Amino acid sequence: EIVLTQSPATLSLSPGERATLSCRASQSVNRYLAWYQQKPGQAPRLLIYDASNRATGIPARFSGSGSGRDFTLTISSLEPEDFAVYYCQQRFNWPTFGQGTRLEIK
Amino acid sequence: EVQLLESGGGLVQPGGSLRLSCAASGFTFSNYAMSWVRQAPGKGLEWVSTFSSDGYTTFDADSVKGRSIISRDNSKMAVYLQMNSVRGEDTAVYFCARNWEEFDPWGQGTLVTVSS
């Protein structure tokens, strides 16, 4: 099983700031990594697939980068609606998810 | 608009069985793999099962292998998850999702509680 480790566990920032979330895989997953956003009481929403491709309807302030074992989700300028939990997921092998990063308002 | 709507959750006794349903609309159902992903209360996401678009191949996580059966009915645009011998650790919100390379979109989920 490929283990994904996300950091930090919690990120406290203010609207307008830049957010950088990390995901490290226990082995290379090539570029087969996705990012999701989940708000309380809601289903996850796909943001990024194949490391850097934005899903349909996702604002340009969300971007993904990385390959191999290390990946980053960047939110260039935080909007109030961006405060949520973010998960990474790999599809190189059986799907697994990271434990999540909680992005909270400072 | 693509929509997925789960049903069938509720309270189940340990050792019992559950059957979840997911009704899909807004896309050509038979062209896509369909998956179940669960989330224990306050915890992260765990892939459970996938039924491929070829109509016969299924994949299960080790945590449910031998206890769960995923099935689909393309004529009804529905996917199902039958789980037997349920345990406390099966307590979770179960989400239906399209695909499994990336899960997109997701239904709103149905809560399964395993308790006596």
Side-chain angles (χ1 to χ4, degrees), chain B residues 30-48:
Chain B
S30 59
N31 287 353
Y32 291 87
M34 295 297 297
S35 299
W36 290 94
V37 179
R38 67 184 180 183
Q39 185 170 38
K43 302 298 184 183
L45 301 165
E46 179 190 19
W47 167 73
V48 176

Side-chain angles (χ1 to χ4, degrees), chain B residues 65-77:
Chain B
K65 198 165 290 185
R67 300 190 297 123
S68 71
I69 300 171
I70 186 172
S71 59
R72 66 189 292 164
D73 185 334
N74 288 346
S75 67
K76 294 183 178 178
M77 296 182 63

Side-chain angles (χ1 to χ4, degrees), chain A residues 65-77:
Chain A
S65 63
S67 65
R69 295 182 59 200
D70 291 304
F71 299 87
T72 300
L73 174 70
T74 301
I75 310 172
S76 59
S77 179

